[in-house]
Amino acid sequence: MSRALALLTLLSSFPFLALLSNAFSPENPTDRRVLVLLDDFSIKSSHSLYFNSLQTRGYDLDFKLADDPKIALQRYGQYLYDALILFSPTIDSFGGSLNAAAILEFVDAGHDLILAADASASDLIREIASECGVDFDEDAAAMVVDHTSYAVSDTEGDHTLIAGDNIIQSDVILGREKIKAPVLFKGIGHSINPANSLVMKILSASPSAYSANPKSKLSAPPTLTGSAISLVSVVQARNNARILISGSLSMFSNRFFRSGVQKAGSTINHDKSGNEQFVTETSKWVFHERGHLKAVNVRHHKVGEAEEPSIYRINDDLEYSVEVYEWSGTSWEPYVADDVQVQFYMMSPYVLKTLSTNQKGVYYTSFKVPDVYGVFQFKVEYEKLGFTSLSLAKQIPVRPFRHNEYERFITTAFPYYGASFSMMGGFFLFSLVYLYHK
């Protein structure tokens, strides 16, 4: 009986194991299975437009309460989800086996994260953001206040409803269509370390903004002021995992999506805020629908040949090529740029060449092997704002000339040849004079 039960359990787990094995394919980098953790299921309806936009693009959303005791990111050593959305700013402790360390490990494994906080953000949410390179204002009651760039409203009198238009100019992150209407933001600000090249501000506060408790008078200068306040930031880790951190959960809500907006001091009244376009485009980037590169078919060979040699000789003429493609969300399209470079490297680059392209994804160049022998590498280290990084390396030895491969008479040695023959001639003449003339 026990054997039959064990066999039944094993057979029933086959579909689940198959699901795990098909969790991620390098040929299809777009996240598909997304775990959404909520403070309350009412957020599912109040933010339904955002969730529907993800589902219409093919994402499988699994909604759970953040304190659900059955939450698990992985099973049998395999991750169950490709991405995580944390819309649970007030949670003090996750349910199940989930904690801050598990979420960071999830990101370290190459998965993606969207985190939204608000004025009631818990220490747990702040800790996760801090580990990702973002520091929320330490004052738990602080919010972003702006007395010049607020959104005109009949109900918001404390100027905490921000009409943000200081948006990063990046087609790969926000798409080619310009966001014309300001983005509504109501929440907490954060700062980033300027020395950290992995974190980028994509929505910043205006120079007149500051972070403080809007319900009390300022007793000391605020610690966060001006454009140093980031409202929304993104992180691209070295393993190409992507993270979006927002200080406003309301920014993703149906109310802000549908709301009209008029920025203080402006006569233009927009019928619809830029929130929906902003968060939709950023989610496309976070979930690798844009800016995800891959390199294939790395080739090198001598000029005039097709086969890749096992070794080169100094001063050989060679050709190098590689194909680079960008994921469009549905297929791989040729990536076209003019700044892809290859190094011929041994301890330091002996050759650095910018690759030409045929506009169809193929990058190529040719050069002469330096007059130095040793073990070299063809290296492509490509990093560009908003794009996943490429790191390619292919090792190849370079040998000197063999003894029978040198030219019979080397042009640069002619002076030495002349010196040798002149000395022999001089010795012959000296011998004649010495022997026959007394």
Side-chain angles (χ1 to χ4, degrees):
M1 182 68 179
S2 60
R3 288 185 177 180
L5 182 60
L7 179 61
L8 181 61
T9 303
L10 179 63
L11 291 175
S12 64
S13 67
F14 279 169
F16 177 73
L17 293 175
L19 177 64
L20 291 178
S21 64
N22 293 327
F24 178 79
S25 168
E27 292 302 312
N28 185 355
T30 304
D31 303 317
R32 290 301 169 192
R33 291 179 294 116
V34 183
L35 174 62
V36 184
L37 297 183
L38 309 173
D39 270 339
D40 188 277
F41 275 124
S42 62
I43 298 176
K44 183 177 178 180
S45 58
S46 63
H47 294 61
S48 60
L49 292 178
Y50 177 66
F51 295 134
N52 290 340
S53 72
L54 295 177
Q55 290 171 330
T56 55
R57 301 207 308 270
Y59 295 99
D60 180 15
L61 304 184
D62 186 8
F63 295 93
K64 292 182 182 294
L65 291 177
D67 57 359
D68 189 331
K70 297 181 180 179
I71 294 176
L73 286 177
Q74 59 178 321
R75 191 173 299 171
Y76 304 126
Q78 297 289 330
Y79 280 104
L80 306 175
Y81 304 97
D82 301 313
L84 175 63
I85 297 177
L86 291 180
F87 279 5
S88 50
T90 63
I91 190 69
D92 292 315
S93 178
F94 293 112
S97 60
L98 192 62
N99 53 30
I103 291 175
L104 297 174
E105 184 180 344
F106 180 75
V107 174
D108 287 340
H111 299 90
D112 305 312
L113 171 67
I114 293 179
L115 183 150
D118 59 17
S120 58
S122 65
D123 291 339
L124 177 60
I125 295 299
R126 291 171 183 269
E127 178 188 354
I128 295 172
S130 178
E131 291 293 333
C132 295
V134 165
D135 295 316
F136 286 114
D137 195 329
E138 295 179 356
D139 185 354
M143 296 181 67
V144 179
V145 182
D146 195 332
H147 297 300
T148 60
S149 295
Y150 61 91
V152 177
S153 172
D154 295 332
T155 58
E156 305 288 346
D158 53 6
H159 299 167
T160 56
L161 182 61
I162 310 299
D165 54 8
N166 192 3
I167 303 173
I168 188 173
Q169 300 299 314
S170 173
D171 290 348
V172 66
I173 296 177
L174 293 176
R176 296 182 179 178
E177 185 178 349
K178 183 180 179 181
I179 300 175
K180 298 179 180 178
V183 177
L184 291 174
F185 179 95
K186 186 180 180 68
I188 56 177
H190 59 265
S191 61
I192 64 175
N193 186 349
N196 189 345
S197 61
L198 302 178
V199 187
M200 296 175 286
K201 294 188 291 186
I202 59 173
L203 179 63
S204 304
S206 74
S208 59
Y210 63 93
S211 179
N213 186 347
K215 297 181 181 179
S216 63
K217 293 183 178 181
L218 289 174
S219 58
T223 55
L224 287 178
T225 59
S227 300
I229 301 175
S230 179
L231 307 179
V232 182
S233 296
V234 294
V235 183
Q236 178 156 283
R238 290 185 176 87
N239 63 354
N240 290 326
R242 290 173 174 175
I243 305 168
L244 182 143
I245 297 177
S246 168
S248 172
L249 178 59
S250 300
M251 190 178 71
F252 299 83
S253 67
N254 298 352
R255 174 173 165 252
F256 277 25
F257 275 21
R258 293 169 174 162
S259 176
V261 58
Q262 181 179 356
K263 186 176 179 179
S266 173
T267 58
I268 302 175
N269 190 354
H270 299 273
D271 294 331
K272 186 179 180 181
S273 71
N275 288 54
E276 184 172 9
Q277 183 183 355
F278 179 81
V279 300
T280 299
E281 296 301 325
T282 53
S283 71
K284 289 180 180 179
W285 180 83
V286 172
F287 293 148
H288 294 265
E289 292 182 48
R290 277 199 302 263
H292 188 99
L293 304 179
K294 76 168 182 179
V296 296
N297 297 332
V298 179
R299 298 188 181 95
H300 60 87
H301 54 81
K302 295 180 182 179
V303 173
E305 299 182 5
E307 294 297 323
E308 183 176 309
S310 59
I311 190 170
Y312 284 107
R313 188 187 66 184
I314 60 174
N315 296 330
D316 275 346
D317 292 312
L318 62 84
E319 295 178 342
Y320 176 88
S321 65
V322 61
E323 297 178 26
V324 182
Y325 297 94
E326 179 184 1
W327 181 250
S328 67
T330 56
S331 62
W332 290 103
E333 303 293 339
Y335 176 68
V336 179
D338 58 1
D339 54 359
V340 182
Q341 295 181 324
V342 63
Q343 304 175 46
F344 199 56
Y345 187 94
M346 184 178 68
M347 303 298 288
S348 61
Y350 281 77
V351 176
L352 178 63
K353 296 274 288 187
T354 299
L355 300 176
S356 303
T357 178
N358 64 353
Q359 307 295 314
K360 297 180 180 179
V362 178
Y363 292 81
Y364 58 90
T365 191
S366 60
F367 59 88
K368 185 182 290 290
V369 176
D371 193 6
V372 178
Y373 59 87
V375 180
F376 283 81
Q377 283 185 328
F378 293 99
K379 292 183 70 173
V380 174
E381 299 286 346
Y382 187 69
E383 295 182 0
K384 191 173 184 178
L385 176 67
F387 290 91
T388 54
S389 59
L390 294 177
S391 181
L392 310 176
K394 207 166 189 178
Q395 189 168 286
I396 190 76
V398 174
R399 65 172 177 83
F401 286 106
R402 294 191 182 98
H403 71 281
N404 60 350
E405 290 179 329
Y406 287 98
E407 298 177 12
R408 180 61 63 184
F409 294 101
I410 303 175
T411 306
T412 54
F414 280 176
Y416 301 96
Y417 301 152
S420 299
F421 285 113
S422 65
M423 186 172 182
M424 286 189 289
F427 182 76
F428 179 73
L429 292 175
F430 172 77
S431 300
L432 288 178
V433 172
Y434 184 79
L435 291 175
Y436 299 104
H437 293 80
K438 294 185 179 179

